[in-house]
C-alpha cells in the first residue's frame, strides 16, 4: 500500500514538473527570438560589406555596420524601464505578447531593406524586444517554477539563446539574405500562437488581488495530480509572501530602502556587469576579423566556427541546468569563474606573444590556441557565469520592486554590452588585443571573489525564504521548516499509508 502510494506521488510530482517545463518552453520561444538576432550578423555582415555579394543596392562600410549593430544595444537600453512598468500593469504574458510585433516588424524591414537605414531601424526594433525579453522572461520563469526546479528552468534561457544563434547562423549560411528573413519570421509567429496557451504567473494575479485566477494558474502549473489541499496550502503560502512583500507600493527608492534590497541590488548589478565583462560577445561578433584561425578552420569559415562554439555552449548549458539545483548557484559560479579566468589569461598570453614576438606562436599547431581557448571559455561560461547570473536576478528581489529591479538590471546589461562591443576594436588597435582578454580574465576572477564573499545561496529556497535571508530574518538549520504545501503533502501521504 505504501509503495503504491509513493509511486503515485512520484508520478504526480513528475506530471507537475512537466507542466512547468511546458509553460517555460512557451516563454523561452521569446528568448529564442533574441538568439536569432544575436546570430544574424555572423553570416550577413560579410555579405553586406562585400561589393561583389551585397544583397542591397549599396555596400555597407565598416562604420555603417558598426552603427547598424549598435542600434540593437541602443534598443536594449531604452526598453527595460517601460517593459518593467508594463509587466506590473498588464502582466508578464501580455507584455511579452504585445511586444512580439517588434521582431515581426524587424524581419519585415530586413526583407524589404534597400539601405543601411532600414537595417538600422530593424536592429533598433529588435533591440527593443530583446530588452523587454531580458526584463520580463526571467521574472515569469522564476514565478511559475517551484523551488526544486526553479534554477533548472531559469538557466535554460542561456541554452535557448545558443539554440537561436545556431538556428540563425545555419539558415544564414544555407539560404539567401531575404529568404532567411522570411524563415526567421516564423519564430515570433510561433511564439504568438503558443504562449497564449499557458497561464499567467500566479504571483502577478495575487499582486492584483485576483485569488481565483491565481488559483487557476497554479492548478494548471502544478497538474491535476496535486490534491486540492496541497494546492490551497501552496496558494496560501504564495498569498502570504506576496502580501508581505507588497506592503509598500514600491518605487525606485525602495531598491535601496532596506538592508535586503540593498544587498540584492549590489549582488545582482555587480554580477550583471562582471558577467558582461567576462563574456565573449565582442569576440564572437568580430570573429571573422580579429580571431586568427588555423588553416582548417579558415576553410570552414567564421560562420561554421560560431556554430561549433555555440553547439558546445548549448551542451554545457544543458549540463548546467541539471547541476544548478544539485550543486547550488555559488559553487557553479565560483568554479566557472575560476576556469574561465585561467583560460582568458592564457588567451591573452598568446595574443601578447603574437603582438610582441616574445615567443613565436606562428607555428601551425599553435594557431589553434585562440580557438581552443574560445571553446573552453564557452564551456565554462555556459556552466555558471551565463545561466547562474540570469537565475539570480529573478530570485533576489521582492514582488513590490521586482519589475523595477529587472528593468534596471536589463538597462545596465544593455549599456555595458554597448560599451564593451563598441570599444573592443578600439582597445585592440590602440593597446593590443591581449588587453581585452586579460580584462575578461580579471573579471572572471572578480566573479569568484564576489560570489565567495557576498552572494547567498538560493538553492531549494522559496522566494520568501530568500527575502528573509537577505534581510537576516532567515536561519537555516538541519530541521529547517517545511513550506506549508510540503507539510500538507507529507501529511496526506501519511494518512494514505
Amino acid at each position: 500500500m505504501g509503495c503504491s502510494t509513493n509511486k503515485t506521488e512520484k508520478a504526480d510530482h513528475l506530471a507537475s514538473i512537466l507542466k512547468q517545463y511546458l509553460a517555460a518552453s512557451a516563454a523561452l520561444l521569446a528568448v529564442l527570438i533574441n538568439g536569432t538576432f544575436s546570430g544574424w550578423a555572423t553570416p550577413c555582415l560579410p555579405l553586406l560589406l562585400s561589393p561583389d555579394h551585397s544583397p542591397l543596392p549599396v555596400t555597407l562600410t565598416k562604420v555603417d555596420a558598426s552603427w547598424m549593430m549598435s542600434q540593437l544595444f541602443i534598443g536594449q537600453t531604452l526598453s527595460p524601464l517601460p517593459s518593467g512598468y508594463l509587466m506590473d500593469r498588464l502582466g508578464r504574458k501580455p507584455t511579452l505578447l504585445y511586444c512580439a510585433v517588434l521582431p515581426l516588424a524587424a524581419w519585415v524591414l530586413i526583407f524589404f531593406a534597400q539601405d543601411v537605414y532600414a537595417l538600422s531601424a530593424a536592429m533598433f526594433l529588435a533591440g527593443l524586444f530583446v530588452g523587454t525579453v531580458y526584463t520580463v522572461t526571467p521574472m515569469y520563469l522564476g514565478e511559475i517554477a517551484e523551488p526544486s526546479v526553479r534554477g533548472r528552468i531559469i538557466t535554460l534561457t542561456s541554452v535557448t539563446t545558443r539554440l537561436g544563434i545556431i538556428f540563425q547562423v545555419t539558415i544564414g549560411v544555407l539560404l539567401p539574405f531575404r529568404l532567411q528573413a522570411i524563415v526567421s519570421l516564423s519564430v515570433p509567429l510561433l511564439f504568438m500562437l503558443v504562449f497564449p496557451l499557458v497561464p499567467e504567473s500566479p504571483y502577478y494575479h495575487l499582486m492584483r488581488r485576483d485569488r481565483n485566477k491565481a488559483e487557476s494558474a497554479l492548478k494548471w502549473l502544478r497538474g491535476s495530480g496535486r490534491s486540492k489541499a496541497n494546492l490551497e496550502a501552496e496558494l496560501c503560502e504564495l498569498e502570504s509572501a506576496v502580501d508581505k512583500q507588497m506592503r509598500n507600493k514600491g518605487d525606485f527608492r525602495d531598491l535601496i530602502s532596506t538592508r535586503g534590497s540593498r544587498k540584492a541590488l549590489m549582488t545582482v548589478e555587480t554580477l550583471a556587469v562582471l558577467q558582461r565583462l567576462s563574456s565573449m560577445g565582442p569576440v564572437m561578433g568580430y570573429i571573422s576579423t580579429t580571431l586568427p584561425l588555423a588553416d582548417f578552420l579558415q576553410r570552414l569559415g567564421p560562420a561554421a566556427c560560431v556554430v561549433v562554439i555555440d553547439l558546445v555552449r548549448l551542451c554545457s548549458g544543458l549540463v548546467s541546468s541539471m547541476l544548478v539545483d544539485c550543486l547550488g548557484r555559488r559553487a557553479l559560479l565560483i568554479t566557472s569563474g575560476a576556469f574561465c579566468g585561467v583560460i582568458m589569461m592564457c588567451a591573452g598570453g598568446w595574443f601578447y606573444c603574437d603582438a610582441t614576438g616574445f615567443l613565436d606562436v606562428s607555428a601551425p599547431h599553435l594557431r589553434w590556441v585562440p580557438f581552443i581557448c574560445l571553446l573552453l571559455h564557452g564551456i565554462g561560461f555556459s556552466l555558471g557565469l551565463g545561466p547562474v547570473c540570469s537565475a539570480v536576478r529573478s530570485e533576489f528581489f521582492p514582488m513590490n520592486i521586482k519589475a523595477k529591479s529587472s528593468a534596471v538590471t536589463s538597462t545596465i546589461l544593455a549599456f555595458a554590452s554597448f560599451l564593451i562591443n563598441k570599444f573592443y576594436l578600439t582597445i585592440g588597435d590602440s593597446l593590443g588585443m591581449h588587453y581585452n582578454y586579460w580584462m575578461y580574465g580579471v573579471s572572471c576572477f572578480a566573479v569568484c571573489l564576489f560570489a565567495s564573499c557576498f552572494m547567498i545561496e538560493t538553492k531549494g529556497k522559496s522566494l520568501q525564504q530568500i527575502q528573509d535571508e537577505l534581510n537576516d530574518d532567515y536561519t537555516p538549520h538541519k530541521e529547517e521548516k517545511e513550506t506549508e504545501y510540503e507539510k500538507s503533502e507529507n501529511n496526506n501521504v501519511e494518512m494514505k499509508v
Side-chain angles (χ1 to χ4, degrees):
M1 181 72 175
C3 183
S4 175
T5 302
N6 287 336
K7 287 183 179 179
T8 303
E9 294 293 332
K10 287 181 180 179
D12 291 343
H13 182 67
L14 184 62
S16 171
I17 298 301
L18 180 61
K19 294 294 285 287
Q20 293 169 59
Y21 271 100
L22 286 174
S25 298
L28 286 169
L29 285 173
V31 181
L32 187 72
I33 297 170
N34 286 7
T36 61
F37 286 111
S38 297
W40 177 80
T42 299
C44 292
L45 269 186
L47 292 176
L48 294 168
L49 293 169
S50 170
D52 298 326
H53 301 98
S54 177
L56 305 183
V58 296
T59 302
L60 269 61
T61 65
K62 287 187 176 181
V63 174
D64 291 335
S66 174
W67 280 110
M68 177 188 71
M69 295 310 300
S70 295
Q71 300 308 307
L72 189 66
F73 298 108
I74 292 172
Q76 288 182 52
T77 305
L78 295 177
S79 63
L81 291 176
S83 58
Y85 172 79
L86 290 174
M87 69 185 276
D88 270 355
R89 295 290 296 177
L90 303 178
R92 282 66 166 144
K93 265 184 65 180
T95 301
L96 287 174
L97 284 171
Y98 293 154
C99 290
V101 299
L102 295 171
L104 283 175
W107 288 121
V108 170
L109 277 172
I110 290 173
F111 178 79
F112 288 107
Q114 298 295 315
D115 53 38
V116 68
Y117 301 108
L119 293 177
S120 296
M123 290 298 102
F124 179 74
L125 292 177
L128 292 176
F129 183 73
V130 170
T132 299
V133 171
Y134 284 143
T135 303
V136 180
T137 307
M139 301 301 106
Y140 178 80
L141 297 177
E143 291 170 2
I144 66 170
E146 57 189 70
S148 63
V149 295
R150 189 175 61 239
R152 297 176 194 171
I153 285 177
I154 298 173
T155 53
L156 288 175
T157 55
S158 178
V159 174
T160 310
T161 302
R162 304 272 75 79
L163 193 61
I165 293 173
I166 293 169
F167 169 78
Q168 193 63 40
V169 172
T170 303
I171 67 170
V173 171
L174 298 177
L175 300 178
F177 178 80
R178 300 192 189 278
L179 182 56
Q180 66 168 287
I182 296 177
V183 175
S184 302
L185 194 68
S186 64
V187 184
L189 287 174
L190 180 63
F191 172 70
M192 295 175 78
L193 290 173
V194 172
F195 195 47
L197 303 178
V198 301
E200 175 62 272
S201 159
Y203 277 89
Y204 171 75
H205 288 312
L206 290 173
M207 285 173 58
R208 309 304 293 180
R209 302 288 187 246
D210 195 333
R211 198 177 194 277
N212 290 334
K213 287 185 178 179
E215 182 178 7
S216 177
L218 194 63
K219 186 175 181 180
W220 193 101
L221 291 165
R222 300 302 182 255
S224 58
R226 184 70 63 85
S227 70
K228 188 173 182 180
N230 292 336
L231 278 173
E232 181 64 25
E234 183 175 2
L235 185 61
C236 288
E237 184 181 337
L238 296 183
E239 192 172 29
S240 174
V242 171
D243 286 341
K244 184 176 180 180
Q245 296 172 26
M246 293 294 293
R247 284 172 187 165
N248 299 318
K249 184 178 180 182
D251 56 31
F252 285 102
R253 289 174 297 181
D254 289 319
L255 289 171
I256 55 172
S257 63
T258 66
R259 176 181 175 85
S261 60
R262 287 193 295 271
K263 287 171 67 175
L265 187 68
M266 179 191 72
T267 302
V268 172
E269 306 314 325
T270 302
L271 288 178
V273 173
L274 289 177
Q275 183 205 41
R276 278 297 181 265
L277 288 171
S278 309
S279 72
M280 299 298 291
V283 180
M284 297 297 288
Y286 294 101
I287 192 171
S288 60
T289 57
T290 63
L291 187 70
L293 300 176
D295 292 340
F296 172 69
L297 295 174
Q298 286 179 341
R299 288 195 294 271
L300 283 179
C305 292
V306 169
V307 170
V308 170
I309 292 168
D310 278 310
L311 278 172
V312 170
R313 296 178 74 173
L314 187 150
C315 294
S316 57
L318 287 172
V319 173
S320 173
S321 69
M322 293 184 284
L323 294 177
V324 69
D325 283 318
C326 301
L327 301 180
R329 281 63 157 161
R330 289 178 74 245
L332 279 181
L333 202 53
I334 293 168
T335 305
S336 169
F339 179 78
C340 289
V342 171
I343 296 300
M344 287 297 95
M345 288 300 181
C346 292
W350 188 96
F351 278 96
Y352 175 78
C353 292
D354 186 53
T356 63
F358 182 75
L359 290 175
D360 184 11
V361 292
S362 60
H365 64 282
L366 293 177
R367 301 295 287 179
W368 285 84
V369 171
F371 182 74
I372 296 299
C373 286
L374 203 57
L375 272 181
L376 293 174
H377 178 277
I379 293 172
F381 188 86
S382 298
L383 281 173
L385 282 169
V388 171
C389 292
S390 298
V392 165
R393 64 184 289 199
S394 69
E395 296 176 325
F396 267 51
F397 289 96
M399 293 302 301
N400 65 325
I401 56 172
K402 183 172 281 192
K404 294 174 178 63
S405 66
S406 184
V408 169
T409 305
S410 296
T411 302
I412 289 174
L413 281 170
F415 186 65
S417 297
F418 173 78
L419 292 178
I420 292 166
N421 280 271
K422 195 67 181 171
F423 289 104
Y424 173 75
L425 289 179
T426 303
I427 292 173
D429 292 340
S430 60
L431 299 176
M433 196 58 67
H434 49 283
Y435 277 98
N436 280 312
Y437 290 86
W438 285 342
M439 177 182 69
Y440 301 151
V442 170
S443 299
C444 291
F445 291 131
V447 169
C448 295
L449 182 63
F450 183 83
S452 301
C453 299
F454 301 106
M455 180 180 165
I456 67 168
E457 180 56 72
T458 61
K459 179 188 75 171
K461 296 171 185 172
S462 70
L463 296 178
Q464 182 56 48
Q465 288 172 332
I466 295 169
Q467 288 306 305
D468 291 340
E469 184 167 356
L470 285 167
N471 287 286
D472 295 332
D473 293 331
Y474 174 75
T475 307
H477 45 76
K478 61 182 179 181
E479 54 273 332
E480 185 176 8
K481 287 196 303 180
E482 299 170 298
T483 60
E484 291 299 324
Y485 73 92
E486 284 173 338
K487 285 182 181 178
S488 175
E489 188 158 337
N490 289 339
N491 289 337
N492 283 348
V493 172
E494 291 172 4
M495 290 173 64
K496 289 177 184 178
V497 174

